[in-house]
Amino acid sequence: REAFRSLSAAEFFYRNREIAGFSNPSRALYQTVRELVENALDACDSHEILPSLYIGIKLVDPIKSFYKVTVSDNGIGVPPYYVPYAFGQVLFGSKYKLRQTRGMFGLGAKMAILYGQLTTGKPVEVETTPLGSRYKYYFKIMVDIKRNEPIIIEQRVRKLKKKTHGTTVSVTIEGDWSRAKNKVYEYIKRTAIATPYANITFVPPDNSEVIVYKRVIDKIPPPPKEVKPHPHGVDIEMLKMLISSSEASTLKEFLAESFQSIGLITAERFLRDIGFDPNMSPEKLTTEGIKALVSGLKEYKDFKPPRTDALSPLGEELIVAGLRSVLEPEFVAATTRRPSAYSGHPFIIEVGIAYGGKIPSKDEPQLYRFANKIPLLYDEKADVSWKIVSNVIDWKAYGVEFPAPLVVLAHICSTKVPYKGVGKESIAEVPEIEKEIKNAIREVARKLRTYILKKRREEELRKK
Amino acid sequence: REAFRSLSAAEFFYRNREIAGFSNPSRALYQTVRELVENALDACDSHEILPSLYIGIKLVDPIKSFYKVTVSDNGIGVPPYYVPYAFGQVLFGSKYKLRQTRGMFGLGAKMAILYGQLTTGKPVEVETTPLGSRYKYYFKIMVDIKRNEPIIIEQRVRKLKKKTHGTTVSVTIEGDWSRAKNKVYEYIKRTAIATPYANITFVPPDNSEVIVYKRVIDKIPPPPKEVKPHPHGVDIEMLKMLISSSEASTLKEFLAESFQSIGLITAERFLRDIGFDPNMSPEKLTTEGIKALVSGLKEYKDFKPPRTDALSPLGEELIVAGLRSVLEPEFVAATTRRPSAYSGHPFIIEVGIAYGGKIPSKDEPQLYRFANKIPLLYDEKADVSWKIVSNVIDWKAYGVEFPAPLVVLAHICSTKVPYKGVGKESIAEVPEIEKEIKNAIREVARKLRTYILKKRREEELRKK
Ligand SMILES: Nc1ncnc2c1ncn2[C@@H]1O[C@H](COP(=O)(O)OP(=O)(O)OP(=O)(O)O)[C@@H](O)[C@H]1O
Ligand SMILES: Nc1ncnc2c1ncn2[C@@H]1O[C@H](COP(=O)(O)OP(=O)(O)OP(=O)(O)O)[C@@H](O)[C@H]1O
Ligand SMILES: [Mg+2]
Ligand SMILES: [Mg+2]
């Protein structure tokens, strides 16, 4: 009487696309731009390439409101064998690793492509030259939704005369530029703040001027390294998977090889502490043994904290320079906190505060949110940073009385940003992260208070 | 240099479980209860069975904080062939239809089961007797995460002496009752308000008293019917899928059979209007023909509006009775709006307002949200209803000055509730829905104003 069936991952995200930010043409245009831009930037700064990005939106059918969105980069490119899957299979990608990247779901590009397919029927066009290759590969791809497989509409290869590398992705979607444009301009501007080592050119669809952000830093930050999981983030299923993919012959070698922050000596001491033979074979572990090992790993206090070379923060200098150039404030200060961790994932919180000058006065703090260098522009009220900035911090105690010209920038970078949804717009309330954001804001707010009090005293002296 | 791979749907939701509400033990305990309760209620009221539910939470390991959550119902049961998939395969279920149900993703039960697996290593236990069967089937199931397939740990059958039907599901998870209990009690209480035709017994884990909600209505509302899609909700991919699964030999028959609100005569007239031969074979449509048909279907004004026998609203009587019994207010009024639609999905907005009496005074309106009869308790500030209640409605104009004892109940029912996330906690900003919620609140707020003004006049007369 009930009709049972399964869905492919492509069917699921096609049917529930509003969950990924594709809820209407205006939001979809914004989301398409950002998914392609985030892929382009990852392809560059994960590989120590100074990014040069071209972003173009072209109105191709004014009656149906169809736009062609093109993003071009000088990144590492995509190996031709993987192009159909990277752009034609939902839940496929190269960012399922423990390393700070903008991408993490293996979904973003495909959502834009699916939305193009269902609104305009057009395939995505991908051109790519992988680093070191002398060929340019052209693909036209659609997603077979029922099977979650790529459909290659067309593919060509061309030999190049001069060496180059990078990727261009074009999707044609139904959009709404008039409703989306403020958010698109703001997203690109804030991306330029977060990536001052990138050249970004943006060509909008109406006859508005081309926007160019030239790089202001010629040195690329060291790319995040891939790390192994930290024992404090382990669970029963993760441990089972690590055991089945490990070739270690002893339990202590298994721990030292599979986890970060565990050396052979620590592994031996830990295992003896919880009553295991360090030289037993991992395959001999029973279900109860696995459970005991998981509890032990999560609770052991003497593992080193999570490594932070998997992270790439913005840095205080960059935050101050960015806020200064965009806002022209009277006061700017920033802090990059020491690394912390939640569930075995390292994270760093950075906060900047700008005050006065050309900042307009508002009834509430103006919050600029970033996560793994991505600007977050929607769902502000659902974000943990907003909860802290509006409800937890007592601004009066720092000399700020609303209405006030106050901007707060908050950046979280992590090997796993705890987004509330696959549309990547707001951050969930993880206790360790909440605590760090609060302390970071207080740290910078104290500097603001010093400045405000000093200014008031000078004001009073001047009156006498 | 980048390592490409795909994830199964089970791997994806295991890795990103906070997106489904499984972010920490307290939230996971709440989400586990609600996913099982929502399945139990669907199994009853979709099939005209007056629900009798048992909900039990048992502390099975105080040191590790493990709880066994059991939900038992007298619903339609699950055919034994499908039990392993229904409980062991992510994106598998019976609610992928155009009909109002609480479930819609084919994910909820599996998320609770995955969370149990990864925190306690224990399988889910399912007992079920399908309606009309003389057997009780027992299963112990786990999810093979890498393959997204069920693992049947154990299965047994027993012949029953007397006829019965229903399902019992038990998962053992790491939880946090002290942090979750307020929300769990509130969820069950509000569920009882929304389903006054259900008997609900709740046995909490500490030695607190057993909570019993006895049914106050002995008549079950007519269950929602399954309907075909409405032409205004069509897209290119949907039309292609409908064509490939249709056996109709003419285009007009294809439209009349595949869509609601299109009869053969309307189909013929519509097709001639947009320049198609009504008698051509659907298989002969070109890609351009499909696109033209999609535009035509979306824009044609003369199709009947979406059918509403796919919906089952609460009703004004029920809302008033529920608010009265729970809040003991001075004033209560409610409205069930006429059906509306977004993207071809019919929806109904219902609003209730309660004021004064035993309602405590607060600085803001107190909002009770429901969607397809499910109470929504998290992410209030991200919900479209909150946006309207706190920012759009001018309460002063209705005689309400804060702090005030004001409760607003908002219910949306639809063949597709536009949730913001798979955790089903807040509703996205769909323009048609926003407009309806606003008008529904205004309609009931006008009755509140009449009451408040009348009371003030009486007060003034009494003073003289
Ligand atoms: N411009 C590009 N240059 C190089 N590789 C790319 C580019 N765009 C996409 N890719 C590859 O395609 C994969 C899939 O991209 P997609 O956006 O769908 O997922 P993702 O970026 O891994 O995760 P997310 O869903 O969080 O964005 C990426 O992981 C990357 O390997
Ligand atoms: N108590 C129950 N009685 C009868 N059938 C059930 C019960 N619990 C689950 N099922 C069946 O198992 C399927 C899967 O349940 P699951 O909760 O995973 O998904 P869903 O309810 O369809 O959607 P959602 O993810 O939105 O909850 C259901 O569609 C239903 O057919
Ligand atoms: Mg991406
Ligand atoms: Mg369900």
Side-chain angles (χ1 to χ4, degrees):
Chain A
R1 278 256 22 233
E2 290 268 318
F4 289 85
R5 64 168 291 208
S6 65
L7 293 188
S8 76
E11 275 182 289
F12 177 81
F13 283 106
Y14 155 70
R15 288 164 62 107
N16 299 302
R17 53 194 173 269
E18 63 282 347
I19 275 170
F22 287 81
S23 33
N24 56 62
S26 139
R27 184 82 189 251
L29 180 54
Y30 171 85
Q31 199 73 17
T32 295
V33 170
R34 67 168 293 201
E35 292 294 357
L36 268 47
V37 166
E38 289 160 24
N39 285 345
L41 288 171
D42 274 347
C44 297
D45 64 17
S46 295
H47 301 281
E48 278 190 288
I49 298 169
L50 283 170
S52 288
L53 256 65
Y54 164 90
I55 305 165
I57 304 177
K58 194 155 167 272
L59 177 62
V60 296
D61 188 325
I63 298 170
K64 294 183 184 169
S65 199
F66 286 0
Y67 294 84
K68 188 167 192 173
V69 179
T70 301
V71 174
S72 212
D73 62 68
N74 60 332
I76 195 172
V78 189
Y81 174 78
Y82 288 117
V83 167
Y85 301 105
F87 295 94
Q89 185 168 88
V90 170
L91 304 187
F92 187 94
S94 61
K95 298 170 201 168
Y96 293 132
K97 310 240 156 264
L98 279 175
R99 168 186 63 151
Q100 174 183 327
T101 47
R102 294 168 184 80
M104 61 187 280
F105 298 125
L107 179 63
K110 276 76 75 181
M111 288 311 306
I113 292 160
L114 276 173
Y115 190 79
Q117 248 175 257
L118 70 98
T119 54
T120 71
K122 298 214 187 307
V124 63
E125 297 167 31
V126 179
E127 296 180 11
T128 189
T129 295
L131 188 64
S133 163
R134 305 232 49 148
Y135 293 92
K136 196 172 207 178
Y137 300 90
Y138 295 82
F139 289 85
K140 280 190 181 174
I141 296 164
M142 291 179 103
V143 182
D144 179 332
I145 293 179
K146 265 219 174 320
R147 293 204 188 91
N148 190 23
E149 283 174 8
I151 302 170
I152 302 178
I153 308 284
E154 193 183 318
Q155 61 182 358
R156 301 179 274 129
V157 189
R158 175 161 82 82
K159 197 159 205 291
L160 296 169
K161 296 201 180 61
K162 60 186 180 80
K163 262 179 152 275
T164 182
H165 53 83
T167 305
T168 299
V169 180
S170 269
V171 279
T172 307
I173 61 163
E174 181 190 6
D176 185 343
W177 175 244
S178 59
R179 283 211 174 84
K181 65 183 190 181
N182 285 350
K183 288 283 207 270
V184 173
Y185 277 121
E186 192 65 27
Y187 175 85
I188 295 173
K189 175 164 107 181
R190 292 188 196 183
T191 294
I193 294 176
T195 38
Y197 47 84
N199 280 339
I200 301 175
T201 301
F202 172 47
V203 180
D206 41 27
N207 282 327
S208 314
E209 54 166 313
V210 173
I211 308 275
V212 178
Y213 295 98
K214 293 197 74 56
R215 67 171 59 98
V216 294
I217 295 179
D218 283 316
K219 188 166 153 326
I220 186 123
K225 290 192 161 48
E226 186 190 340
V227 296
K228 301 206 173 82
H230 190 275
H232 287 173
V234 78
D235 63 66
I236 295 169
E237 286 297 328
M238 187 197 295
L239 194 65
K240 284 185 186 171
M241 289 183 208
L242 289 171
I243 290 170
S244 66
S245 59
S246 166
E247 305 192 340
S249 47
T250 68
L251 202 49
K252 71 184 179 199
E253 284 172 304
F254 163 73
L255 289 186
E257 290 172 9
S258 307
F259 291 98
Q260 56 163 297
S261 311
I262 306 183
L264 276 173
I265 297 173
T266 309
E268 177 129 12
R269 183 175 359 113
F270 160 72
L271 287 167
R272 294 208 189 280
D273 275 4
I274 61 166
F276 280 85
D277 170 14
N279 295 306
M280 76 175 278
S281 161
E283 298 173 337
K284 294 248 159 58
L285 280 167
T286 62
T287 309
E288 287 313 305
I290 288 177
K291 292 181 197 183
L293 195 47
V294 167
S295 305
L297 286 165
K298 282 169 73 164
E299 291 158 25
Y300 196 68
K301 298 281 176 276
D302 292 343
F303 296 129
K304 295 200 276 325
R307 284 170 59 173
T308 52
D309 51 354
L311 299 181
S312 173
L314 296 171
E316 293 171 11
E317 234 176 287
L318 186 157
I319 293 173
V320 166
L323 289 172
R324 206 164 254 153
S325 74
V326 173
L327 301 170
E328 296 180 57
E330 213 175 288
F331 166 92
V332 185
T335 182
T336 296
R337 301 278 294 175
R338 291 169 48 90
S340 193
Y342 81 95
S343 302
H345 284 284
F347 71 89
I348 289 172
I349 297 297
E350 307 183 274
V351 163
I353 291 180
Y355 187 84
K358 295 201 168 165
I359 297 176
S361 249
K362 304 265 181 191
D363 292 333
E364 291 178 321
Q366 301 159 54
L367 180 59
Y368 285 25
R369 295 170 291 138
F370 290 84
N372 284 7
K373 303 189 183 179
I374 300 172
L376 308 185
L377 296 183
Y378 282 91
D379 287 358
E380 179 183 67
K381 302 284 180 283
D383 196 296
V384 63
S385 307
W386 177 255
K387 168 181 162 188
I388 294 168
V389 163
S390 63
N391 272 355
V392 174
I393 302 290
D394 175 18
W395 288 104
K396 212 166 166 190
Y398 297 99
V400 178
E401 307 247 11
F402 291 98
L406 176 73
V407 167
V408 179
L409 183 153
H411 179 227
I412 162 169
C413 60
S414 178
T415 48
K416 183 184 173 189
V417 174
Y419 291 110
K420 280 191 158 179
V422 295
K424 295 187 190 132
E425 284 301 350
S426 57
I427 312 286
E429 293 177 16
V430 173
E432 296 87 335
I433 289 174
E434 257 182 277
K435 177 155 164 273
E436 266 300 297
I437 293 175
K438 185 174 66 174
N439 292 335
I441 293 179
R442 286 177 173 168
E443 187 185 326
V444 187
R446 283 193 284 271
K447 298 182 187 168
L448 173 64
R449 176 174 59 200
T450 303
Y451 174 82
I452 289 178
L453 293 179
K454 174 160 167 275
K455 219 173 153 256
R456 271 188 204 148
R457 255 176 282 133
E458 294 173 352
E459 197 89 345
E460 291 170 15
L461 286 171
R462 216 172 306 150
K463 288 186 181 155
K464 296 175 184 160
Chain B
R1 279 254 19 235
E2 290 270 317
F4 289 84
R5 65 167 292 207
S6 64
L7 293 188
S8 78
E11 276 183 289
F12 177 81
F13 284 106
Y14 155 70
R15 290 164 60 108
N16 299 301
R17 52 193 174 269
E18 63 282 346
I19 275 172
F22 286 82
S23 34
N24 56 64
S26 140
R27 184 83 189 251
L29 180 53
Y30 171 85
Q31 198 74 16
T32 295
V33 170
R34 67 167 294 199
E35 292 293 357
L36 268 48
V37 165
E38 288 160 25
N39 286 345
L41 288 171
D42 274 348
C44 298
D45 64 16
S46 295
H47 300 281
E48 278 189 288
I49 298 168
L50 284 169
S52 287
L53 256 66
Y54 164 89
I55 305 165
I57 304 177
K58 193 153 166 274
L59 178 61
V60 295
D61 188 327
I63 299 171
K64 293 185 183 168
S65 199
F66 287 0
Y67 294 83
K68 188 167 193 172
V69 178
T70 301
V71 174
S72 214
D73 63 69
N74 60 332
I76 194 173
V78 189
Y81 174 79
Y82 288 117
V83 167
Y85 302 103
F87 295 95
Q89 185 167 90
V90 169
L91 304 187
F92 187 92
S94 61
K95 298 169 202 167
Y96 293 132
K97 312 241 155 262
L98 278 175
R99 168 186 65 151
Q100 174 183 327
T101 47
R102 294 169 185 79
M104 61 186 280
F105 298 125
L107 180 65
K110 277 76 74 181
M111 287 311 307
I113 293 160
L114 276 173
Y115 190 79
Q117 247 176 257
L118 69 99
T119 54
T120 71
K122 298 215 186 308
V124 63
E125 296 167 31
V126 180
E127 295 180 12
T128 189
T129 295
L131 188 65
S133 165
R134 304 231 51 147
Y135 293 92
K136 194 171 205 180
Y137 300 89
Y138 295 81
F139 289 84
K140 280 189 181 175
I141 296 165
M142 291 179 102
V143 181
D144 180 333
I145 294 179
K146 265 219 175 319
R147 292 204 189 92
N148 191 23
E149 284 173 8
I151 303 170
I152 303 176
I153 308 283
E154 195 182 316
Q155 62 183 357
R156 300 179 273 128
V157 190
R158 178 161 79 81
K159 198 166 205 289
L160 297 170
K161 295 203 179 59
K162 60 187 179 78
K163 261 180 153 275
T164 180
H165 53 83
T167 306
T168 299
V169 180
S170 269
V171 278
T172 307
I173 61 164
E174 181 189 7
D176 185 341
W177 175 244
S178 58
R179 283 213 175 83
K181 65 183 189 181
N182 286 350
K183 288 284 207 268
V184 173
Y185 277 121
E186 192 64 27
Y187 175 85
I188 295 173
K189 175 164 108 181
R190 292 189 195 183
T191 294
I193 294 176
T195 39
Y197 49 83
N199 280 340
I200 301 175
T201 302
F202 172 48
V203 180
D206 41 28
N207 284 326
S208 313
E209 52 165 316
V210 173
I211 309 274
V212 178
Y213 295 97
K214 294 197 74 54
R215 68 170 60 99
V216 293
I217 296 179
D218 281 315
K219 187 164 154 325
I220 185 123
K225 290 191 160 51
E226 186 190 339
V227 295
K228 301 205 174 82
H230 190 276
H232 287 173
V234 77
D235 62 66
I236 295 168
E237 287 296 327
M238 187 197 295
L239 193 65
K240 285 184 186 172
M241 289 182 208
L242 288 171
I243 289 170
S244 65
S245 58
S246 165
E247 305 194 340
S249 47
T250 68
L251 202 49
K252 72 184 179 200
E253 283 172 304
F254 164 72
L255 289 186
E257 290 172 9
S258 306
F259 292 97
Q260 55 162 297
S261 311
I262 306 183
L264 276 172
I265 297 174
T266 308
E268 178 129 10
R269 185 178 353 116
F270 160 72
L271 287 167
R272 295 207 189 282
D273 273 7
I274 62 166
F276 280 85
D277 170 14
N279 295 307
M280 77 175 278
S281 160
E283 297 173 337
K284 294 248 159 57
L285 281 166
T286 62
T287 310
E288 286 314 306
I290 287 176
K291 292 182 196 181
L293 195 47
V294 167
S295 305
L297 286 165
K298 281 169 73 166
E299 290 159 25
Y300 196 68
K301 296 281 176 277
D302 292 341
F303 296 129
K304 295 199 281 317
R307 285 170 58 172
T308 53
D309 50 355
L311 299 181
S312 172
L314 297 169
E316 292 171 12
E317 235 176 287
L318 185 156
I319 293 174
V320 167
L323 289 172
R324 205 165 255 153
S325 73
V326 173
L327 300 169
E328 296 181 56
E330 214 175 287
F331 165 92
V332 185
T335 182
T336 296
R337 301 278 294 175
R338 290 167 50 88
S340 192
Y342 81 95
S343 303
H345 284 286
F347 71 89
I348 289 172
I349 298 296
E350 307 183 273
V351 163
I353 291 181
Y355 187 85
K358 294 199 167 165
I359 298 176
S361 248
K362 305 264 182 193
D363 291 334
E364 291 179 320
Q366 301 159 56
L367 181 60
Y368 285 25
R369 295 170 291 138
F370 291 84
N372 284 7
K373 302 189 183 180
I374 300 172
L376 309 185
L377 296 183
Y378 283 91
D379 288 359
E380 181 184 65
K381 303 283 181 282
D383 196 297
V384 63
S385 308
W386 177 256
K387 168 182 165 188
I388 293 167
V389 162
S390 63
N391 272 355
V392 174
I393 302 291
D394 175 16
W395 289 104
K396 212 165 167 192
Y398 297 99
V400 179
E401 306 248 11
F402 291 98
L406 175 75
V407 167
V408 179
L409 183 153
H411 179 228
I412 162 170
C413 59
S414 178
T415 49
K416 183 185 173 191
V417 174
Y419 291 111
K420 279 190 156 178
V422 294
K424 293 187 192 135
E425 282 302 349
S426 57
I427 312 286
E429 293 176 16
V430 173
E432 295 87 337
I433 289 173
E434 256 182 277
K435 178 156 165 272
E436 266 301 296
I437 294 175
K438 186 174 65 175
N439 291 337
I441 293 179
R442 286 178 173 167
E443 186 184 326
V444 188
R446 282 194 285 271
K447 297 182 188 167
L448 174 64
R449 177 174 57 199
T450 303
Y451 173 82
I452 288 179
L453 292 180
K454 174 160 165 277
K455 218 173 153 258
R456 272 191 204 146
R457 255 176 283 128
E458 293 172 354
E459 196 88 346
E460 291 170 15
L461 285 171
R462 217 172 304 150
K463 287 186 180 155
K464 294 176 185 162

